[in-house]
Amino acid sequence: MKTVLIYVLSSVKPPYGEMIRTAQETWDAEPLDGTRTVFYCGKPVVGNTSRIVSFPVEDELLSVGRITVAAFAHALGQWQWDYLARPNISCYVHKKRLLTHCQSLPDRCVIQGVACGPTWVCGIQRPFLWGGGQFILSRDVVENLVGQQHKWQHSLMEDVAISELAQGCGYALDGTGRMCSLNKNGAGWDVISYGGKPGFSFVDWKDVSKIDDQFFLRVKHDPDRSVDSMVMRLLKQHLPP
């Protein structure tokens, strides 16, 4: 079996520290053979555990790339795995579907996600994989990103920088990744699908059982981040295991 490290971009700052606990109580509450879940953060450095690691890098938006480089290097030296799935803390992960998906991927040269066109405002003229769509990287890609970290453009947003460095290392971006976003819409909810079956709208949470082909479910609700935790708990209750 090919193995997957689910390496979650996180923070101990509010509201994200609470989101780590929510994730551990919902989608990561039960272990699954073939997977390991670790939440990685910047400062303040806390004592590393089997489930949370932190690095001496400022926990700021423009430092996410530096935190990620440190985390990737740590992952290579610490654990054996074939693929690194990199969701962020506002993503509900269906671990069983993710593991099944990874069995069908090539052994090497995988950098898969949701593709976006060139981000001209950054002066970048190539497509990139959107961080909100989450990433799946094969081990050789992570090794090269760490090995070529001196070329990482930290002036760019982290998802653009990862995409640029990977393409600079000779990898082709695979934009066929899957992710859906659950967005609050008045009294109901919209499921916006990126890859896989079409999205839909619902009011009754029992209807989320229709989401049967997605493994990354984005729950970010900017107006009120406490909604993120609520949605994770509702997904745990209603999404088939």
Side-chain angles (χ1 to χ4, degrees), residues 9 11-12 26 30 38 47 57 74 85 95 121 126 139 147 150 163 166 172 186 192 207 214:
L9 173 62
S11 171
V12 296
T26 56
E30 295 85 26
V38 180
V57 181
H74 183 82
K95 295 194 292 187
V121 69
R126 293 187 287 195
R139 191 177 185 98
H150 60 283
S163 301
I192 301 173
D207 288 342
Q214 295 281 3

Side-chain angles (χ1 to χ4, degrees), residues 8-20 39-44 59-60 89:
V8 186
L9 173 62
S10 311
S11 171
V12 296
K13 289 183 176 181
Y16 308 108
E18 178 60 31
M19 287 300 298
I20 294 175
F39 301 82
Y40 75 85
C41 314
K43 290 182 178 181
D59 185 0
E60 303 293 345
I89 193 57

Side-chain angles (χ1 to χ4, degrees), residues 65-81:
R66 299 184 190 279
I67 298 171
T68 296
V69 169
F72 282 7
H74 183 82
L76 290 169
Q78 190 72 20
W79 305 292
Q80 290 299 315
W81 45 270

Side-chain angles (χ1 to χ4, degrees), residues 121-230:
V121 69
C122 296
I124 300 303
Q125 300 183 15
R126 293 187 287 195
F128 71 101
L129 298 182
W130 171 42
Q134 328 308 331
F135 300 122
I136 299 176
L137 311 170
S138 55
R139 191 177 185 98
D140 62 300
V141 173
V142 178
E143 289 171 343
N144 273 296
L145 292 176
V146 172
Q148 298 294 316
Q149 62 181 280
H150 60 283
K151 297 180 181 178
W152 191 295
Q153 299 181 63
H154 290 288
S155 61
L156 301 175
M157 292 298 292
E158 180 241 14
D159 50 1
V160 178
I162 285 179
S163 301
E164 278 295 291
L165 182 53
Q167 290 176 96
C169 290
Y171 295 109
L173 303 182
D174 177 357
T176 64
R178 291 186 181 184
M179 184 276 291
C180 69
S181 178
L182 281 79
N183 293 5
K184 190 168 177 57
N185 180 12
W189 297 82
D190 295 326
V191 177
I192 301 173
S193 180
Y194 299 82
K197 295 180 180 178
F200 58 94
S201 298
F202 69 92
V203 175
D204 187 340
W205 272 90
K206 292 180 180 179
D207 288 342
V208 300
S209 61
K210 297 176 184 177
I211 307 173
D212 59 6
D213 66 334
Q214 295 281 3
F215 39 83
F216 292 139
L217 295 91
R218 190 170 188 253
V219 301
K220 185 178 181 183
H221 184 69
D222 285 318
D224 179 0
R225 299 306 301 276
S226 68
V227 173
D228 298 17
S229 290
M230 180 194 75

